[in-house]
Amino acid sequence: MSLSREIRLVSRPVGAPVRENFELATVTVPPPGPGEVQVRNRWMAVDPAMRGRMGETKSYVAPFALGAPMEGPATGVVEQSNHPDFAPGDVVWSRLGWRELFNAPADALKKRDCSVLPEQAYLGFAGMTGLTAYTGLLHIADMRAGDTVFVSAASGGVGSVVCQIAKLKGNRVIGAAGGALKTAFLRDTLKLDGVIDYKAEPSLTKALAREAKAGIDVYFDNVGGDHLQAAIAIANPGGRFALCGMISQYNATEPSAAPRNLTQVVVKGLRLQGFIVLNYLHLEEQFLRDVTQWYQAGLIQAAETVHDGIDHALDAFFSLFGGDNLGRVLVRI
């Protein structure tokens, strides 16, 4: 028997989550049963979409159960195995984060090769985050040579990968983020062609018009609200939008007032398409080949903020809404 700590949801948040909605519990983990594998997590990731699972609203993934450990992407190492496909020492990916140690059936795990990519990359640019960026930009928005691309939450986990893929493909990229730290990252590290600090601009639409004097052709939306309104206003006719997330509304208790210019979608013939990456897992093999080549060529890099210890997992999650993180937010367990 081994001890493991885990984070549980104990009440459903109204508005922004608070610590009282969660508990840190210690449990006993028995040896793995027949066909099971025991894994010790080493990394887990948090993302804004987890907020949606804390409510009771039906969505593409079931809500978190009260009193049970939450779930999220994680990587770890196999400690014991009762399945022929896994051996102690194997590095595996699962959706069983928010805990230190667990037993799971073999089909809940995926082996990951860390000989080229670092382990935590499979939670960032080489994981679902990267696949989301890859899918939305290249398949949903159908980015083409010569496009001007606008990315909201551009310094975040998904946004930073979108920016890098668009740049390595030779396109002009404009990113929006909040605050001096994030905009400096976009300008100095990711080398974007235009950067907007939306917190410092009286009008996001005017700021985007200033940075995109010839308009935008592609918008990758992680925010919704005023960012989506600005993108519609500055979009060129036939512009293509990939709607990935709406973080501006995840903790809202009232409907958003923006966008207020949806008639322009009709006038300009814009294409707005939402997507869930889980419906595009057939792209994963090609995505991993591409992203590995880009990494080896020095064309893509990890952007991440790391918190240490399962007891700081909630700090990591809350930081997503407080604006003090860069890239993918990880917890080193």
Side-chain angles (χ1 to χ4, degrees):
M1 294 284 188
S2 301
L3 295 179
S4 173
R5 292 179 296 171
E6 61 188 32
I7 304 289
R8 298 172 177 173
L9 184 69
V10 295
S11 61
R12 301 204 182 276
V14 177
V18 295
R19 291 189 182 276
E20 288 73 21
N21 297 128
F22 309 89
E23 70 173 0
L24 176 63
T26 300
V27 297
T28 300
V29 181
E36 287 189 330
V37 180
Q38 186 171 96
V39 177
R40 183 167 297 277
N41 278 332
R42 298 198 293 202
W43 293 89
M44 60 167 276
V46 295
D47 58 68
M50 291 174 174
R51 174 60 184 88
R53 296 190 65 190
M54 294 174 187
E56 293 183 297
T57 305
K58 286 186 177 181
S59 185
Y60 60 93
V61 182
F64 291 129
L66 294 180
M70 294 191 296
E71 298 173 355
T75 59
V77 62
V78 173
E79 290 205 337
Q80 301 181 57
S81 177
N82 284 329
H83 193 281
D85 291 345
F86 295 89
D90 286 345
V91 175
V92 296
W93 177 94
S94 76
R95 297 187 184 278
L96 297 172
W98 296 92
R99 69 206 77 191
E100 293 173 317
L101 185 73
F102 64 90
N103 295 328
D107 61 6
L109 309 173
K110 291 184 179 180
K111 286 185 185 179
R112 289 301 184 222
D113 179 5
C114 298
S115 63
V116 176
L117 299 176
E119 180 178 334
Q120 66 268 36
Y122 291 107
L123 299 175
F125 68 83
M128 287 296 118
T129 295
L131 181 59
T132 300
Y134 182 92
T135 299
L137 190 61
L138 302 181
H139 294 269
I140 304 300
D142 186 26
M143 186 182 68
R144 304 160 190 170
D147 279 344
T148 294
V149 180
F150 175 45
V151 185
S152 58
S155 66
V158 172
S160 61
V161 182
V162 174
C163 291
Q164 292 184 77
I165 295 175
K167 285 292 291 181
L168 68 85
K169 291 286 187 179
N171 292 65
R172 187 167 191 271
V173 184
I174 299 165
L181 176 67
K182 292 184 176 183
T183 50
F185 169 73
L186 297 180
R187 183 174 51 252
D188 302 333
T189 301
L190 299 190
K191 308 294 185 183
L192 299 195
D193 303 284
V195 176
I196 298 169
D197 181 352
Y198 72 86
K199 291 183 177 180
E201 297 286 350
S203 168
L204 185 55
T205 298
K206 290 181 179 179
L208 182 56
R210 180 188 69 230
E211 298 297 329
K213 292 182 173 59
I216 64 169
D217 306 294
V218 166
Y219 174 46
F220 196 105
D221 191 17
N222 294 301
V223 176
D226 290 344
H227 288 71
L228 179 55
Q229 180 170 291
I232 291 171
I234 307 305
N236 291 323
R240 291 97 59 206
F241 290 22
L243 307 183
C244 170
M246 303 252 170
I247 193 173
S248 66
Q249 299 174 35
Y250 289 165
N251 291 324
T253 56
E254 297 293 334
S256 173
R260 296 178 290 273
N261 57 347
L262 287 176
T263 55
Q264 290 296 305
V265 174
V266 178
V267 172
K268 296 181 177 182
L270 305 181
R271 189 184 78 203
L272 281 64
Q273 182 176 343
F275 72 101
I276 301 298
V277 72
L278 296 179
N279 295 326
Y280 295 86
L281 295 181
H282 61 281
L283 299 175
E284 186 174 19
E285 185 175 342
Q286 180 62 52
F287 157 72
L288 280 173
R289 284 197 297 268
D290 287 345
V291 80
T292 300
Q293 290 175 357
W294 295 335
Y295 179 76
Q296 290 179 306
L299 297 174
I300 198 165
Q301 61 182 300
E304 57 193 34
T305 299
V306 177
H307 297 250
D308 282 299
I310 191 74
D311 49 328
H312 289 286
L314 289 175
D315 296 330
F317 177 69
F318 294 148
S319 77
L320 296 169
F321 304 97
D324 54 355
N325 59 277
L326 290 174
R328 188 66 156 143
V329 178
L330 302 175
V331 179
R332 183 165 37 212
I333 300 174

